[in-house]
Amino acid sequence: MRITGFRALTTVQDWGRPIGDANGVHAGGIVRTPIVVVETDEGVSGVGLGSHVLAETVFAAIEGEDPRGVIALYDRMLRRTFKAGHAGAVFGTIGAFDTALWDIKAQLAGEPLWRLLGGRDRRVPAYASGLDIALDDDELARLYRTYAGHGLRAAKLKGGLDIDRDHHRLGLVRDVLVEAGAGPRPGLMLDVNENWTRKQAVRHVGELERSFDLTWIEEPVRRWDVAGHAAVGHGVRASIATGENLTGLEQHRPLITAGAVDVVQTAAGWGITHFLRVAALAHAHDLPVSPIGTTPVGLVHAATAVPNHLVTELQDLRPPVGVSVAHEVADGAFILADSPGLGIALDEAAIKAAGHRVPDPSAGGSHIRPDRAGFHLLPTTNNGDRAPAEFA
């Protein structure tokens, strides 16, 4: 069997509401979702959700190869792009091809990927994550009631712009989860997307911890700030979660070895092999791992096979337009199916029809860091302006 080609597709995730974080908001709730389909000479193809950047260059490393040698091919892709391949969108392209190769490998074995990787339990614990910073109180409560209806009993909110508003919103979601049967102390996390200085983080979280037992605070300072994460970790009770924007073991290693991270995260777009390697490194330091992503199918499968998986992020309950997944969400978990591979199917006609809805990459949103992010004396809105009275 040989790899013969690939197709690069782009669809959209339609949230049906505004989504965003401390850096910005996608007001229309439409986000582009790139997809890579790897083809073989035996008609078996694999799907990976991820970047297309330098796809032709990355593909050259695996063209004509046997797709079953996926781990060796992952390193071959890294070597082919070694000057750019360990960071950013190119690393995401490698991750998309890697995920597609694992999909092929499991299909050829006639097994779901979770079983091929050595997983035992198809149930993968999840927490709710609504990218919800733009929602008002009624919208926020309604959203998390929907998550609670699928059995989720832990939630991660977006915040970091205003202490009082974060306090109010955490309390609101806590009450929703308690009413849904989560017990008196449901899991609560706050993600501030690299929006604070060290002192701001300690002060802000310390204020919140007077009322809440936060499970973790996520990305309190810039992703590469080892000393900063360590300082925040020493100054608060909550665990420090970070790593979704780190690529390669060389970026994770300083944080882990310095004791600056308590929950090690990896993003679905970086691929399955990357996740397995980061999970092993974290396990060597007795640390848990937690995958993140809008449609983290590959990492959900891989999570069943690592001993230190804690919980996986569940964002939108619906997959991207033209994408269907075999798993379901119930009883607070992803429930994986028995279908071979990842269980992803594509409706390419629907994807093509959605092409006119793909937003301009230069449009505003959480992917663009605003001017003076994190450098505000007073509470701010998502636009970096001083907050209106109801946020202050």
Side-chain angles (χ1 to χ4, degrees):
M1 168 172 275
R2 299 296 173 203
I3 298 167
T4 56
F6 78 95
R7 302 195 305 282
L9 311 174
T10 301
T11 186
V12 296
Q13 185 83 28
D14 184 357
W15 292 76
R17 60 176 174 84
I19 61 163
D21 57 35
N23 293 297
V25 171
H26 300 271
I30 304 292
V31 181
R32 69 189 303 273
T33 303
I35 302 169
V36 168
V37 180
V38 174
E39 303 162 336
T40 68
D41 59 359
E42 295 187 15
V44 179
S45 61
V47 178
L49 277 62
S51 168
H52 297 163
V53 174
L54 290 183
E56 293 284 355
T57 300
V58 173
F59 178 71
I62 63 174
E63 185 174 13
E65 297 287 331
D66 189 322
R68 291 168 290 190
V70 55
I71 292 177
L73 294 180
Y74 178 81
D75 288 317
R76 188 177 174 86
M77 288 186 285
L78 282 177
R79 289 194 301 272
R80 182 62 63 97
T81 58
F82 86 102
K83 296 226 176 198
H86 284 261
V90 177
F91 195 80
T93 303
I94 292 171
F97 278 110
D98 175 72
T99 300
L101 294 177
W102 278 110
D103 187 18
I104 292 171
K105 186 179 178 74
Q107 290 181 63
L108 292 172
E111 295 274 1
L113 182 60
W114 65 270
R115 194 176 294 281
L116 179 72
L117 288 172
R120 175 176 174 270
D121 188 351
R122 72 181 69 225
R123 181 182 180 277
V124 180
Y127 69 87
S129 177
L131 283 67
D132 46 51
I133 202 165
L135 303 185
D136 63 27
D137 286 0
D138 290 341
E139 292 167 332
L140 189 69
R142 185 163 55 249
L143 173 64
Y144 282 92
R145 287 193 188 101
T146 300
Y147 285 126
H150 289 267
L152 279 80
R153 298 296 181 259
K156 183 176 79 182
L157 276 68
K158 296 291 188 179
L161 297 175
D162 179 281
I163 293 175
D164 292 332
R165 186 167 186 250
D166 288 347
H167 188 284
H168 172 73
R169 298 173 83 247
L170 283 164
L172 189 155
V173 171
R174 177 192 59 192
D175 292 346
V176 166
L177 295 178
V178 169
E179 290 169 6
R185 298 174 71 178
L188 291 174
M189 297 84 89
L190 183 68
D191 185 359
V192 302
N193 295 98
E194 308 181 55
N195 198 51
W196 292 332
T197 66
R198 304 174 192 184
K199 289 292 188 179
Q200 284 175 328
V202 172
R203 179 169 58 87
H204 197 132
V205 177
E207 179 75 18
L208 294 174
E209 287 185 326
R210 296 180 185 178
S211 304
F212 303 102
D213 181 18
L214 293 177
T215 303
W216 74 58
I217 181 71
E218 187 167 323
E219 288 191 328
V221 295
R222 296 312 304 272
R223 67 193 72 170
W224 49 74
D225 187 355
V226 175
H229 280 92
V232 176
H234 289 137
V236 303
R237 297 197 308 271
S239 292
I240 303 300
T242 191
E244 68 179 86
N245 289 305
L246 301 179
T247 53
L249 292 181
E250 68 277 7
Q251 293 188 15
H252 281 270
R253 186 171 57 239
L255 281 156
I256 291 174
T257 57
V261 56
D262 302 301
V263 179
V264 179
Q265 297 174 310
T266 66
W270 305 144
I272 293 168
T273 301
H274 171 71
F275 169 75
L276 293 172
R277 290 178 174 180
V278 171
L281 177 63
H283 185 49
H285 290 80
D286 295 315
L287 294 174
V289 290
S290 181
I292 72 101
T294 307
T295 311
V297 183
L299 302 198
V300 176
H301 280 262
T304 67
V306 300
N308 52 334
H309 173 257
L310 178 63
V311 66
T312 294
E313 181 179 49
L314 172 63
Q315 294 185 3
D316 202 345
L317 286 160
R318 301 164 300 176
V321 173
V323 178
S324 62
V325 293
H327 66 259
E328 60 181 278
V329 178
D331 193 27
F334 294 92
I335 310 297
L336 294 170
D338 278 326
S339 52
L342 290 173
I344 297 178
L346 300 180
D347 180 345
E348 295 197 31
I351 292 172
K352 183 177 180 180
H356 71 283
R357 304 176 65 193
V358 176
D360 185 336
S362 65
S366 57
H367 62 297
I368 301 174
R369 190 165 174 84
D371 291 343
R372 297 190 56 76
F375 292 96
H376 296 281
L377 184 63
L378 300 174
T380 63
T381 67
N382 297 92
N383 297 321
D385 302 321
R386 183 173 175 180
E390 65 265 26
F391 285 8

